[in-house]
mmCIF file of all heavy atoms in Angstrom:
data_model
loop_
_atom_site.group_PDB
_atom_site.id
_atom_site.type_symbol
_atom_site.label_atom_id
_atom_site.label_comp_id
_atom_site.label_asym_id
_atom_site.label_seq_id
_atom_site.Cartn_x
_atom_site.Cartn_y
_atom_site.Cartn_z
ATOM 1 N N ASP N 90 63.974 11.878 60.734
ATOM 2 C CA ASP N 90 63.714 10.841 61.781
ATOM 3 C C ASP N 90 62.307 11.033 62.301
ATOM 4 O O ASP N 90 61.946 10.306 63.263
ATOM 5 C CB ASP N 90 64.749 11.010 62.869
ATOM 6 C CG ASP N 90 64.776 12.378 63.570
ATOM 7 O OD1 ASP N 90 63.962 13.252 63.230
ATOM 8 O OD2 ASP N 90 65.599 12.465 64.487
ATOM 9 N N GLY N 91 61.524 11.914 61.760
ATOM 10 C CA GLY N 91 60.131 12.141 62.162
ATOM 11 C C GLY N 91 59.898 13.093 63.381
ATOM 12 O O GLY N 91 58.821 13.356 63.735
ATOM 13 N N ILE N 92 61.026 13.701 63.832
ATOM 14 C CA ILE N 92 60.879 14.675 64.874
ATOM 15 C C ILE N 92 60.519 16.035 64.325
ATOM 16 O O ILE N 92 61.304 16.564 63.499
ATOM 17 C CB ILE N 92 62.256 14.643 65.657
ATOM 18 C CG1 ILE N 92 62.631 13.326 66.251
ATOM 19 C CG2 ILE N 92 62.122 15.709 66.844
ATOM 20 C CD1 ILE N 92 61.553 12.688 67.113
ATOM 21 N N PRO N 93 59.479 16.671 64.778
ATOM 22 C CA PRO N 93 59.192 17.954 64.353
ATOM 23 C C PRO N 93 60.150 19.059 64.944
ATOM 24 O O PRO N 93 60.800 18.796 65.979
ATOM 25 C CB PRO N 93 57.742 18.225 64.868
ATOM 26 C CG PRO N 93 57.637 17.300 66.094
ATOM 27 C CD PRO N 93 58.571 16.133 65.776
ATOM 28 N N THR N 94 60.298 20.126 64.177
ATOM 29 C CA THR N 94 61.206 21.127 64.602
ATOM 30 C C THR N 94 60.588 22.228 65.459
ATOM 31 O O THR N 94 59.325 22.368 65.557
ATOM 32 C CB THR N 94 61.831 21.870 63.311
ATOM 33 O OG1 THR N 94 60.686 22.469 62.628
ATOM 34 C CG2 THR N 94 62.585 20.856 62.467
ATOM 35 N N TYR N 95 61.456 22.986 66.063
ATOM 36 C CA TYR N 95 61.079 24.001 67.072
ATOM 37 C C TYR N 95 60.070 24.975 66.503
ATOM 38 O O TYR N 95 58.914 25.161 67.086
ATOM 39 C CB TYR N 95 62.251 24.732 67.625
ATOM 40 C CG TYR N 95 61.889 26.169 68.232
ATOM 41 C CD1 TYR N 95 61.239 26.168 69.463
ATOM 42 C CD2 TYR N 95 62.007 27.325 67.589
ATOM 43 C CE1 TYR N 95 60.793 27.358 70.048
ATOM 44 C CE2 TYR N 95 61.609 28.446 68.131
ATOM 45 C CZ TYR N 95 60.989 28.525 69.419
ATOM 46 O OH TYR N 95 60.520 29.692 69.887
ATOM 47 N N ASN N 96 60.295 25.613 65.398
ATOM 48 C CA ASN N 96 59.444 26.609 64.844
ATOM 49 C C ASN N 96 58.016 26.050 64.639
ATOM 50 O O ASN N 96 57.016 26.770 64.798
ATOM 51 C CB ASN N 96 60.010 27.349 63.661
ATOM 52 C CG ASN N 96 60.994 28.315 64.011
ATOM 53 O OD1 ASN N 96 60.717 29.373 64.670
ATOM 54 N ND2 ASN N 96 62.275 28.135 63.576
ATOM 55 N N PHE N 97 58.058 24.879 64.059
ATOM 56 C CA PHE N 97 56.716 24.189 63.664
ATOM 57 C C PHE N 97 55.893 23.893 64.924
ATOM 58 O O PHE N 97 54.752 24.244 64.968
ATOM 59 C CB PHE N 97 57.065 23.045 62.875
ATOM 60 C CG PHE N 97 55.807 22.185 62.442
ATOM 61 C CD1 PHE N 97 54.722 22.822 61.747
ATOM 62 C CD2 PHE N 97 55.760 20.933 62.679
ATOM 63 C CE1 PHE N 97 53.639 22.116 61.323
ATOM 64 C CE2 PHE N 97 54.550 20.126 62.235
ATOM 65 C CZ PHE N 97 53.559 20.803 61.587
ATOM 66 N N CYS N 98 56.530 23.239 65.879
ATOM 67 C CA CYS N 98 55.869 22.843 67.100
ATOM 68 C C CYS N 98 55.322 24.157 67.881
ATOM 69 O O CYS N 98 54.304 24.058 68.397
ATOM 70 C CB CYS N 98 56.805 22.066 68.086
ATOM 71 S SG CYS N 98 57.286 20.490 67.390
ATOM 72 N N ALA N 99 56.169 25.190 67.904
ATOM 73 C CA ALA N 99 55.747 26.365 68.622
ATOM 74 C C ALA N 99 54.488 26.970 68.061
ATOM 75 O O ALA N 99 53.652 27.438 68.756
ATOM 76 C CB ALA N 99 56.923 27.438 68.643
ATOM 77 N N VAL N 100 54.376 27.015 66.694
ATOM 78 C CA VAL N 100 53.208 27.663 66.044
ATOM 79 C C VAL N 100 52.045 26.760 66.390
ATOM 80 O O VAL N 100 50.971 27.308 66.699
ATOM 81 C CB VAL N 100 53.377 27.814 64.591
ATOM 82 C CG1 VAL N 100 52.153 28.065 63.925
ATOM 83 C CG2 VAL N 100 54.544 28.845 64.337
ATOM 84 N N VAL N 101 52.178 25.499 66.167
ATOM 85 C CA VAL N 101 50.926 24.611 66.419
ATOM 86 C C VAL N 101 50.527 24.675 67.862
ATOM 87 O O VAL N 101 49.299 24.842 68.149
ATOM 88 C CB VAL N 101 51.357 23.043 66.073
ATOM 89 C CG1 VAL N 101 50.271 22.109 66.532
ATOM 90 C CG2 VAL N 101 51.630 22.879 64.635
ATOM 91 N N ASP N 102 51.459 24.669 68.807
ATOM 92 C CA ASP N 102 51.097 24.723 70.238
ATOM 93 C C ASP N 102 50.527 26.047 70.555
ATOM 94 O O ASP N 102 49.482 26.180 71.227
ATOM 95 C CB ASP N 102 52.310 24.500 71.070
ATOM 96 C CG ASP N 102 52.729 23.089 71.120
ATOM 97 O OD1 ASP N 102 51.871 22.126 70.822
ATOM 98 O OD2 ASP N 102 53.899 22.726 71.464
ATOM 99 N N ASP N 103 51.188 27.167 70.176
ATOM 100 C CA ASP N 103 50.645 28.547 70.443
ATOM 101 C C ASP N 103 49.185 28.732 69.892
ATOM 102 O O ASP N 103 48.388 29.318 70.473
ATOM 103 C CB ASP N 103 51.568 29.602 69.929
ATOM 104 C CG ASP N 103 52.797 29.798 70.796
ATOM 105 O OD1 ASP N 103 52.706 29.325 72.006
ATOM 106 O OD2 ASP N 103 53.840 30.132 70.270
ATOM 107 N N ALA N 104 48.942 28.238 68.683
ATOM 108 C CA ALA N 104 47.701 28.304 68.091
ATOM 109 C C ALA N 104 46.646 27.473 68.816
ATOM 110 O O ALA N 104 45.595 27.983 69.190
ATOM 111 C CB ALA N 104 47.737 27.911 66.586
ATOM 112 N N LEU N 105 46.889 26.254 68.979
ATOM 113 C CA LEU N 105 45.971 25.342 69.757
ATOM 114 C C LEU N 105 45.694 25.763 71.243
ATOM 115 O O LEU N 105 44.619 25.533 71.717
ATOM 116 C CB LEU N 105 46.359 23.886 69.627
ATOM 117 C CG LEU N 105 46.496 23.303 68.288
ATOM 118 C CD1 LEU N 105 46.878 21.811 68.389
ATOM 119 C CD2 LEU N 105 45.256 23.455 67.509
ATOM 120 N N MET N 106 46.791 26.367 71.783
ATOM 121 C CA MET N 106 46.548 26.871 73.237
ATOM 122 C C MET N 106 45.962 28.290 73.300
ATOM 123 O O MET N 106 45.869 28.808 74.333
ATOM 124 C CB MET N 106 47.913 26.828 73.929
ATOM 125 C CG MET N 106 48.365 25.346 74.149
ATOM 126 S SD MET N 106 50.002 25.271 74.996
ATOM 127 C CE MET N 106 50.441 23.480 74.811
ATOM 128 N N GLN N 107 45.602 28.820 72.127
ATOM 129 C CA GLN N 107 45.123 30.097 71.920
ATOM 130 C C GLN N 107 45.822 31.201 72.590
ATOM 131 O O GLN N 107 45.263 32.127 73.322
ATOM 132 C CB GLN N 107 43.669 30.051 72.445
ATOM 133 C CG GLN N 107 42.752 29.080 71.740
ATOM 134 C CD GLN N 107 41.364 29.060 72.312
ATOM 135 O OE1 GLN N 107 41.160 28.808 73.529
ATOM 136 N NE2 GLN N 107 40.324 29.266 71.494
ATOM 137 N N VAL N 108 47.272 31.143 72.487
ATOM 138 C CA VAL N 108 48.095 32.172 73.063
ATOM 139 C C VAL N 108 47.860 33.432 72.240
ATOM 140 O O VAL N 108 47.896 33.525 71.064
ATOM 141 C CB VAL N 108 49.577 31.665 72.958
ATOM 142 C CG1 VAL N 108 50.446 32.897 73.236
ATOM 143 C CG2 VAL N 108 49.817 30.449 73.902
ATOM 144 N N THR N 109 47.605 34.527 72.952
ATOM 145 C CA THR N 109 47.294 35.853 72.321
ATOM 146 C C THR N 109 48.468 36.782 72.255
ATOM 147 O O THR N 109 48.505 37.564 71.360
ATOM 148 C CB THR N 109 46.261 36.599 73.108
ATOM 149 O OG1 THR N 109 46.611 36.854 74.494
ATOM 150 C CG2 THR N 109 44.912 35.853 73.219
ATOM 151 N N HIS N 110 49.502 36.539 73.243
ATOM 152 C CA HIS N 110 50.598 37.380 73.256
ATOM 153 C C HIS N 110 51.850 36.586 73.539
ATOM 154 O O HIS N 110 51.928 35.853 74.522
ATOM 155 C CB HIS N 110 50.574 38.414 74.437
ATOM 156 C CG HIS N 110 49.429 39.483 74.152
ATOM 157 N ND1 HIS N 110 48.039 39.187 74.253
ATOM 158 C CD2 HIS N 110 49.567 40.765 73.710
ATOM 159 C CE1 HIS N 110 47.389 40.259 73.998
ATOM 160 N NE2 HIS N 110 48.216 41.143 73.666
ATOM 161 N N ILE N 111 52.913 36.579 72.573
ATOM 162 C CA ILE N 111 54.040 35.871 72.666
ATOM 163 C C ILE N 111 55.128 36.852 73.109
ATOM 164 O O ILE N 111 55.527 37.618 72.328
ATOM 165 C CB ILE N 111 54.397 35.190 71.381
ATOM 166 C CG1 ILE N 111 53.374 34.011 71.072
ATOM 167 C CG2 ILE N 111 55.828 34.455 71.439
ATOM 168 C CD1 ILE N 111 53.595 33.461 69.707
ATOM 169 N N ILE N 112 55.576 36.715 74.369
ATOM 170 C CA ILE N 112 56.660 37.595 74.883
ATOM 171 C C ILE N 112 57.880 36.734 75.097
ATOM 172 O O ILE N 112 57.885 35.763 75.847
ATOM 173 C CB ILE N 112 56.221 38.097 76.295
ATOM 174 C CG1 ILE N 112 54.881 38.967 76.067
ATOM 175 C CG2 ILE N 112 57.220 39.053 76.888
ATOM 176 C CD1 ILE N 112 54.247 39.334 77.399
ATOM 177 N N ARG N 113 58.957 37.096 74.427
ATOM 178 C CA ARG N 113 60.248 36.339 74.483
ATOM 179 C C ARG N 113 61.385 37.173 74.203
ATOM 180 O O ARG N 113 61.314 38.312 73.857
ATOM 181 C CB ARG N 113 60.077 35.178 73.439
ATOM 182 C CG ARG N 113 59.860 35.564 72.121
ATOM 183 C CD ARG N 113 59.514 34.332 71.275
ATOM 184 N NE ARG N 113 59.309 34.764 69.821
ATOM 185 C CZ ARG N 113 58.803 33.886 68.917
ATOM 186 N NH1 ARG N 113 58.547 32.565 69.251
ATOM 187 N NH2 ARG N 113 58.645 34.282 67.724
ATOM 188 N N GLY N 114 62.590 36.591 74.382
ATOM 189 C CA GLY N 114 63.820 37.292 74.082
ATOM 190 C C GLY N 114 64.025 37.643 72.678
ATOM 191 O O GLY N 114 63.526 36.978 71.726
ATOM 192 N N GLU N 115 64.766 38.709 72.451
ATOM 193 C CA GLU N 115 64.982 39.269 71.084
ATOM 194 C C GLU N 115 65.847 38.186 70.217
ATOM 195 O O GLU N 115 65.832 38.393 68.961
ATOM 196 C CB GLU N 115 65.645 40.584 71.023
ATOM 197 C CG GLU N 115 66.994 40.700 71.598
ATOM 198 C CD GLU N 115 67.616 42.198 71.447
ATOM 199 O OE1 GLU N 115 66.720 43.044 71.154
ATOM 200 O OE2 GLU N 115 68.777 42.285 71.745
ATOM 201 N N ASP N 116 66.466 37.297 70.878
ATOM 202 C CA ASP N 116 67.199 36.352 70.136
ATOM 203 C C ASP N 116 66.287 35.397 69.323
ATOM 204 O O ASP N 116 66.658 34.644 68.463
ATOM 205 C CB ASP N 116 68.077 35.409 71.041
ATOM 206 C CG ASP N 116 67.354 34.830 72.277
ATOM 207 O OD1 ASP N 116 66.269 35.465 72.663
ATOM 208 O OD2 ASP N 116 67.803 33.791 72.798
ATOM 209 N N HIS N 117 65.011 35.389 69.642
ATOM 210 C CA HIS N 117 63.951 34.676 68.877
ATOM 211 C C HIS N 117 63.361 35.501 67.694
ATOM 212 O O HIS N 117 62.497 34.982 66.919
ATOM 213 C CB HIS N 117 62.809 34.226 69.784
ATOM 214 C CG HIS N 117 63.104 33.125 70.638
ATOM 215 N ND1 HIS N 117 63.083 31.769 70.130
ATOM 216 C CD2 HIS N 117 63.504 33.026 71.938
ATOM 217 C CE1 HIS N 117 63.438 30.999 71.095
ATOM 218 N NE2 HIS N 117 63.701 31.672 72.228
ATOM 219 N N LEU N 118 63.771 36.750 67.556
ATOM 220 C CA LEU N 118 63.168 37.577 66.541
ATOM 221 C C LEU N 118 63.303 37.027 65.083
ATOM 222 O O LEU N 118 62.490 37.099 64.240
ATOM 223 C CB LEU N 118 63.747 38.990 66.555
ATOM 224 C CG LEU N 118 63.172 40.108 65.546
ATOM 225 C CD1 LEU N 118 61.669 40.226 65.931
ATOM 226 C CD2 LEU N 118 63.847 41.405 65.684
ATOM 227 N N ALA N 119 64.431 36.342 64.891
ATOM 228 C CA ALA N 119 64.659 35.724 63.583
ATOM 229 C C ALA N 119 63.665 34.630 63.270
ATOM 230 O O ALA N 119 63.433 34.329 62.081
ATOM 231 C CB ALA N 119 66.157 35.208 63.494
ATOM 232 N N ASN N 120 63.135 33.975 64.236
ATOM 233 C CA ASN N 120 62.171 32.925 64.064
ATOM 234 C C ASN N 120 60.747 33.453 63.808
ATOM 235 O O ASN N 120 59.964 32.829 63.167
ATOM 236 C CB ASN N 120 62.073 32.088 65.346
ATOM 237 C CG ASN N 120 63.313 31.304 65.596
ATOM 238 O OD1 ASN N 120 64.017 30.758 64.774
ATOM 239 N ND2 ASN N 120 63.647 31.191 66.893
ATOM 240 N N THR N 121 60.532 34.718 64.077
ATOM 241 C CA THR N 121 59.212 35.155 64.075
ATOM 242 C C THR N 121 58.552 35.323 62.603
ATOM 243 O O THR N 121 57.439 34.915 62.402
ATOM 244 C CB THR N 121 59.012 36.687 64.765
ATOM 245 O OG1 THR N 121 59.562 36.497 66.164
ATOM 246 C CG2 THR N 121 57.670 37.108 64.867
ATOM 247 N N PRO N 122 59.331 35.830 61.615
ATOM 248 C CA PRO N 122 58.717 35.829 60.294
ATOM 249 C C PRO N 122 58.341 34.430 59.797
ATOM 250 O O PRO N 122 57.362 34.224 59.133
ATOM 251 C CB PRO N 122 59.760 36.578 59.463
ATOM 252 C CG PRO N 122 61.102 36.441 60.203
ATOM 253 C CD PRO N 122 60.582 36.448 61.678
ATOM 254 N N LYS N 123 59.164 33.490 60.133
ATOM 255 C CA LYS N 123 58.916 32.056 59.703
ATOM 256 C C LYS N 123 57.624 31.663 60.441
ATOM 257 O O LYS N 123 56.754 30.947 59.722
ATOM 258 C CB LYS N 123 60.019 31.135 60.041
ATOM 259 C CG LYS N 123 61.407 31.601 59.588
ATOM 260 C CD LYS N 123 62.508 30.825 60.246
ATOM 261 C CE LYS N 123 63.872 31.314 60.021
ATOM 262 N NZ LYS N 123 64.963 30.642 60.741
ATOM 263 N N GLN N 124 57.431 31.906 61.588
ATOM 264 C CA GLN N 124 56.258 31.550 62.387
ATOM 265 C C GLN N 124 54.996 32.227 61.956
ATOM 266 O O GLN N 124 53.880 31.683 61.721
ATOM 267 C CB GLN N 124 56.507 31.701 63.844
ATOM 268 C CG GLN N 124 57.567 30.729 64.397
ATOM 269 C CD GLN N 124 57.893 31.144 65.902
ATOM 270 O OE1 GLN N 124 57.266 31.931 66.566
ATOM 271 N NE2 GLN N 124 58.812 30.368 66.370
ATOM 272 N N ILE N 125 55.133 33.557 61.544
ATOM 273 C CA ILE N 125 53.980 34.275 61.020
ATOM 274 C C ILE N 125 53.434 33.667 59.671
ATOM 275 O O ILE N 125 52.290 33.468 59.496
ATOM 276 C CB ILE N 125 54.356 35.761 60.849
ATOM 277 C CG1 ILE N 125 54.536 36.463 62.179
ATOM 278 C CG2 ILE N 125 53.455 36.510 59.837
ATOM 279 C CD1 ILE N 125 54.961 37.905 62.048
ATOM 280 N N GLN N 126 54.423 33.261 58.818
ATOM 281 C CA GLN N 126 54.076 32.615 57.622
ATOM 282 C C GLN N 126 53.298 31.297 57.855
ATOM 283 O O GLN N 126 52.383 30.975 57.139
ATOM 284 C CB GLN N 126 55.245 32.409 56.763
ATOM 285 C CG GLN N 126 55.875 33.688 56.201
ATOM 286 C CD GLN N 126 57.116 33.402 55.387
ATOM 287 O OE1 GLN N 126 57.568 32.249 55.197
ATOM 288 N NE2 GLN N 126 57.663 34.504 54.809
ATOM 289 N N LEU N 127 53.717 30.513 58.900
ATOM 290 C CA LEU N 127 53.015 29.288 59.214
ATOM 291 C C LEU N 127 51.555 29.595 59.694
ATOM 292 O O LEU N 127 50.778 28.888 59.434
ATOM 293 C CB LEU N 127 53.835 28.555 60.293
ATOM 294 C CG LEU N 127 55.082 27.752 59.689
ATOM 295 C CD1 LEU N 127 55.906 27.205 60.900
ATOM 296 C CD2 LEU N 127 54.609 26.687 58.811
ATOM 297 N N TYR N 128 51.454 30.635 60.535
ATOM 298 C CA TYR N 128 50.122 30.916 60.951
ATOM 299 C C TYR N 128 49.253 31.331 59.693
ATOM 300 O O TYR N 128 48.000 30.844 59.817
ATOM 301 C CB TYR N 128 50.167 32.203 61.897
ATOM 302 C CG TYR N 128 50.372 31.937 63.338
ATOM 303 C CD1 TYR N 128 51.790 32.071 63.859
ATOM 304 C CD2 TYR N 128 49.363 31.618 64.207
ATOM 305 C CE1 TYR N 128 51.947 31.792 65.261
ATOM 306 C CE2 TYR N 128 49.514 31.374 65.525
ATOM 307 C CZ TYR N 128 50.844 31.451 66.021
ATOM 308 O OH TYR N 128 51.126 31.254 67.410
ATOM 309 N N ARG N 129 49.785 32.002 58.895
ATOM 310 C CA ARG N 129 48.954 32.382 57.738
ATOM 311 C C ARG N 129 48.613 31.050 56.843
ATOM 312 O O ARG N 129 47.407 30.961 56.372
ATOM 313 C CB ARG N 129 49.737 33.355 56.835
ATOM 314 C CG ARG N 129 49.780 34.708 57.444
ATOM 315 C CD ARG N 129 50.736 35.683 56.641
ATOM 316 N NE ARG N 129 50.745 37.064 57.210
ATOM 317 C CZ ARG N 129 51.743 37.934 56.942
ATOM 318 N NH1 ARG N 129 52.589 37.609 56.132
ATOM 319 N NH2 ARG N 129 51.679 39.131 57.523
ATOM 320 N N ALA N 130 49.502 30.168 56.760
ATOM 321 C CA ALA N 130 49.260 28.915 55.941
ATOM 322 C C ALA N 130 48.193 28.158 56.629
ATOM 323 O O ALA N 130 47.418 27.480 55.973
ATOM 324 C CB ALA N 130 50.545 28.163 55.839
ATOM 325 N N PHE N 131 48.139 28.135 57.926
ATOM 326 C CA PHE N 131 47.113 27.387 58.721
ATOM 327 C C PHE N 131 45.846 28.084 58.809
ATOM 328 O O PHE N 131 44.724 27.454 59.009
ATOM 329 C CB PHE N 131 47.642 27.047 60.156
ATOM 330 C CG PHE N 131 48.669 25.940 60.250
ATOM 331 C CD1 PHE N 131 49.810 26.140 60.726
ATOM 332 C CD2 PHE N 131 48.311 24.658 59.684
ATOM 333 C CE1 PHE N 131 50.787 25.088 60.941
ATOM 334 C CE2 PHE N 131 49.254 23.531 59.957
ATOM 335 C CZ PHE N 131 50.410 23.755 60.494
ATOM 336 N N GLY N 132 45.857 29.393 58.640
ATOM 337 C CA GLY N 132 44.666 30.159 58.680
ATOM 338 C C GLY N 132 44.379 30.394 60.273
ATOM 339 O O GLY N 132 43.222 30.668 60.522
ATOM 340 N N TYR N 133 45.301 30.260 61.181
ATOM 341 C CA TYR N 133 45.099 30.571 62.551
ATOM 342 C C TYR N 133 45.161 32.054 62.937
ATOM 343 O O TYR N 133 45.913 32.780 62.266
ATOM 344 C CB TYR N 133 46.092 29.742 63.468
ATOM 345 C CG TYR N 133 45.904 28.231 63.562
ATOM 346 C CD1 TYR N 133 46.868 27.412 63.337
ATOM 347 C CD2 TYR N 133 44.674 27.790 63.980
ATOM 348 C CE1 TYR N 133 46.695 26.005 63.461
ATOM 349 C CE2 TYR N 133 44.381 26.447 64.094
ATOM 350 C CZ TYR N 133 45.500 25.587 63.804
ATOM 351 O OH TYR N 133 45.221 24.180 63.949
ATOM 352 N N PRO N 134 44.446 32.427 63.960
ATOM 353 C CA PRO N 134 44.574 33.884 64.336
ATOM 354 C C PRO N 134 45.951 34.175 64.781
ATOM 355 O O PRO N 134 46.625 33.453 65.363
ATOM 356 C CB PRO N 134 43.632 33.966 65.523
ATOM 357 C CG PRO N 134 42.614 32.864 65.428
ATOM 358 C CD PRO N 134 43.426 31.716 64.706
ATOM 359 N N MET N 135 46.430 35.373 64.294
ATOM 360 C CA MET N 135 47.815 35.804 64.617
ATOM 361 C C MET N 135 47.894 36.347 66.060
ATOM 362 O O MET N 135 47.230 37.310 66.456
ATOM 363 C CB MET N 135 48.168 36.848 63.603
ATOM 364 C CG MET N 135 49.733 37.104 63.577
ATOM 365 S SD MET N 135 50.679 35.674 62.896
ATOM 366 C CE MET N 135 50.081 35.841 61.179
ATOM 367 N N PRO N 136 48.910 35.873 66.806
ATOM 368 C CA PRO N 136 49.091 36.519 68.215
ATOM 369 C C PRO N 136 49.954 37.748 68.001
ATOM 370 O O PRO N 136 50.473 38.032 66.913
ATOM 371 C CB PRO N 136 49.890 35.381 68.842
ATOM 372 C CG PRO N 136 50.720 34.731 67.802
ATOM 373 C CD PRO N 136 49.843 34.716 66.545
#
């Protein structure tokens, strides 16, 4: 339907907002490797 998903939006926003430290609950740990791979694909600095 054209709506972007959580993991994708979070990476784009964190990168563009130049977030250096992502502090969140451990229930998000499963999302982190997916987001790290997106950072690498974009070539953005890793938080």
Side-chain angles (χ1 to χ4, degrees):
D90 59 3
I92 303 298
T94 59
Y95 161 74
N96 280 297
F97 180 51
C98 294
V100 169
V101 172
D102 286 339
D103 286 334
L105 296 183
M106 294 175 186
Q107 299 179 304
V108 172
T109 62
H110 294 76
I111 296 175
I112 302 170
R113 57 190 180 189
E115 67 179 6
D116 51 335
H117 282 280
L118 184 59
N120 294 319
T121 304
K123 307 169 190 176
Q124 295 177 0
I125 286 176
Q126 291 179 357
L127 283 171
Y128 272 98
R129 289 174 178 161
F131 283 122
Y133 283 131
M135 193 73 64

